[in-house]
Amino acid sequence: MAKFIIEKTGPLVGEVSISGAKNAVLPILAATILTDEPCEINDVPLLSDVDVMCRILRCVGAKVDVDEKEHTIVVDAKGINSSEIPYDLVKMMRASIFTMGPLIARTGHANMALPGGCSIGSRPIDLHNKGLRMLGAKITVDEFSVDAYAPKLKGSLVYLDFPSVGATENIMMAASLAEGYTTIENAAEEPEIVDLANFLNKMGAKIKGAGTDSIRIEGVKKLHGTRHAVIPDRIETGTFMVAAAISRGDVLIKNALPDHVRPVIAKLLECGATVNDEVDGLRVRGDINRLVATDIKTLPYPGFPTDMQAPFMSLLTTVRGTSTIIETIFENRLQLAGELSRMGANIRVDGNMAIVPGDKRPLHGANVMATDLRAGAALVLAGLVAEGHTEVSDIYHIERGYENFADKLNSLGANVKRVE
Ligand code: UD1
């Protein structure tokens, strides 16, 4: 299995360009099932999760052409001939569940193996099921799979007990082809939901309010093909912002959308980093002796993103003072603390709170394991500043969500080698 070997480097300096957003492109690719006309998706990040979504689309009968050089994918879902997604694909990526809404809307049926839990928590799909039931689907769940059947979906009021990103997206996609109006109350407000709504509206859907907690969808009879460029990845943006700060560097992050990373900017400023909104992107500087502790609580957007909690944990081990991190979205997302302890950090975890002491002792290199995507990236960031040499194993997690992570860091002066 591949791993990263990271040597301590000085400040990262230079420019880096952000790729298209993983969490936007996955539902957008799933949404191409909703039409029998071809859709062209641009600015697609080349990630293993994208690869899995392409395999899922092919598995249900879509034709998928990937142009890696152009970062473009064309999906022609005219020939959909199956509505079943097997476990060997679902187990590779939870976001497979995004195909449930489109499949049921297009074919009247969807059968998926259950994604099960993952290292960051149990991750149920009850809200996806609740929403599709409200639209008239008959849903049967057993130990292994979920089966959804609805010859015709009907618009409805759907109240989400929690603003789940995936459930909001699944319901929005299904409701686009339902009869009548659907309102999603307590909807998630993430930028990726707005991007999906923009894509669906280009296909002929009638969606209003995406980006607020109340989304109104007027169902249409048919959707058509279109072309769409994916928004830049706000989590990759945030990760490089933290890379600049933790290495006390000076990095211009091109293609970043400041509006999508407001809480990350706010927390970096609280830590004493400098963040400037320049014409070409966001410039982040981590001044050598000035960085100090801060407290973080993850919340649904526009609160501080759970996906940025791990990179910040690495950063906060290197600043002056003691910080706290409270994770409220996933029940088991503080595992990074254990791996960072192997590098000399002295983080105490109590329930959903981590207490992170600052830089009395610098981190040292160690053999550590990426327990999930963001924790993996955070370990690489820690490795950049740890004395000596750090090996991060299980980097397939990192490659699910960061395009050319090592190359991008190395272009800023890091020394990260990928070895098999
Ligand atoms: C998406 C993102 C992920 C991010 C997360 C929260 C994608 C591909 N992934 O994941 O990177 O960390 O949003 O911002 O976009 N929940 C339920 N029942 C459900 C669905 C969710 O209880 O039916 C719970 C989850 O267990 C979790 C919380 O709601 O505790 C948030 O999950 P959700 O917003 O659905 O995250 P995902 O869409 O899975």
Side-chain angles (χ1 to χ4, degrees):
M1 252 195 273
K3 59 185 174 185
F4 282 143
I5 299 180
I6 306 139
E7 304 298 338
K8 181 177 179 186
T9 32
L12 297 188
V13 177
E15 298 179 357
V16 65
S17 207
I18 296 304
S19 302
K22 167 180 93 73
N23 290 352
V25 75
L26 295 176
I28 285 172
L29 285 170
T32 62
I33 292 176
L34 291 164
T35 176
D36 58 8
E37 295 178 17
C39 294
E40 180 178 316
I41 319 297
N42 306 123
D43 292 347
V44 172
L46 303 176
L47 304 168
S48 58
D49 268 10
V50 170
D51 195 46
V52 176
M53 186 55 88
C54 291
R55 289 170 61 182
I56 290 172
L57 293 173
R58 290 189 186 109
C59 161
V60 295
K63 188 168 167 290
V64 184
D65 289 320
V66 182
D67 184 338
E68 293 200 352
K69 210 162 135 246
E70 296 296 327
H71 288 74
T72 288
I73 296 183
V74 177
V75 183
D76 183 347
K78 190 172 179 179
I80 294 288
N81 54 18
S82 163
S83 48
E84 294 187 12
I85 317 284
Y87 183 62
D88 61 340
L89 289 173
V90 173
K91 75 173 183 211
M92 294 171 85
M93 184 182 70
R94 276 190 53 85
S96 327
I97 194 77
F98 292 154
T99 53
M100 191 157 99
L103 276 175
I104 192 172
R106 172 87 187 274
T107 71
H109 178 239
N111 182 289
M112 314 207 35
L114 281 176
C118 68
S119 64
I120 63 174
S122 61
R123 304 190 77 173
I125 57 163
D126 56 318
L127 298 172
H128 298 247
N129 293 344
K130 172 182 173 176
L132 295 174
R133 273 199 188 105
M134 297 301 290
L135 298 183
K138 187 169 173 294
I139 309 241
T140 323
V141 188
D142 66 21
E143 283 168 86
F144 306 109
S145 65
V146 51
D147 192 78
Y149 171 73
K152 186 67 207 158
L153 294 169
K154 283 212 164 64
S156 176
L157 172 68
V158 180
Y159 173 80
L160 292 179
D161 302 281
F162 182 88
S164 154
V165 175
T168 302
E169 292 170 336
N170 237 333
I171 297 161
M172 205 163 72
M173 291 188 276
S176 295
L177 283 180
E179 202 177 284
Y181 287 90
T182 296
T183 304
I184 311 175
E185 293 289 359
N186 201 27
E189 300 173 35
E190 270 72 357
E192 294 77 18
I193 286 166
V194 178
D195 205 31
L196 174 63
N198 288 340
F199 175 65
L200 291 167
N201 284 340
K202 284 188 193 171
M203 294 171 85
K206 293 190 174 164
I207 302 173
K208 288 191 180 140
T212 74
D213 64 359
S214 176
I215 302 179
R216 180 104 167 131
I217 304 137
E218 182 186 345
V220 296
K221 288 214 158 62
K222 201 171 158 44
L223 294 172
H224 53 75
T226 190
R227 185 175 178 181
H228 182 79
V230 177
I231 53 169
D233 196 307
R234 67 194 164 95
I235 307 300
E236 189 196 13
T237 302
T239 304
F240 278 96
M241 292 170 78
V242 172
I246 198 170
S247 69
R248 282 36 174 185
D250 181 347
V251 178
L252 179 66
I253 299 153
K254 293 168 86 171
N255 206 24
L257 293 178
D259 273 350
H260 292 178
V261 286
R262 292 280 166 222
V264 176
I265 296 176
K267 286 293 156 185
L268 282 174
L269 292 175
E270 278 180 30
C271 286
T274 311
V275 183
N276 290 324
D277 185 357
E278 299 186 355
V279 186
D280 283 351
L282 279 172
R283 182 177 294 282
V284 180
R285 278 190 289 260
D287 300 327
I288 284 205
N289 290 318
R290 278 192 39 208
L291 293 194
V292 291
T294 189
D295 296 321
I296 284 173
K297 183 176 184 179
T298 65
L299 286 171
Y301 191 86
F304 187 90
T306 171
D307 286 5
M308 282 307 301
Q309 175 260 103
F312 262 79
M313 188 183 283
S314 291
L315 172 66
L316 295 175
T317 63
T318 72
V319 303
R320 228 176 331 118
T322 296
S323 308
T324 56
I325 297 177
I326 299 178
E327 169 60 54
T328 75
I329 308 293
F330 292 107
E331 70 255 38
N332 196 20
R333 214 178 192 179
L334 296 171
Q335 288 167 319
L336 174 65
E339 296 304 304
L340 284 175
S341 303
R342 299 168 67 85
M343 300 176 72
N346 191 18
I347 301 168
R348 194 155 60 83
V349 174
D350 186 2
N352 69 341
M353 179 163 77
I355 299 162
V356 188
D359 63 354
K360 287 214 176 71
R361 284 178 306 158
L363 295 176
H364 55 75
N367 290 351
V368 288
M369 185 176 79
T371 49
D372 72 68
L373 163 58
R374 307 302 171 189
L379 287 169
V380 175
L381 301 189
L384 297 176
V385 294
E387 293 299 333
H389 125 153
T390 302
E391 290 192 17
V392 181
S393 63
D394 287 13
I395 61 166
Y396 65 90
H397 283 297
I398 303 175
E399 292 172 345
R400 285 184 39 221
Y402 291 90
E403 186 178 45
N404 299 333
F405 194 43
D407 292 346
K408 286 189 183 186
L409 287 168
N410 291 342
S411 75
L412 299 170
N415 183 351
V416 181
K417 274 196 202 77
R418 183 185 192 283
V419 294
E420 289 295 336

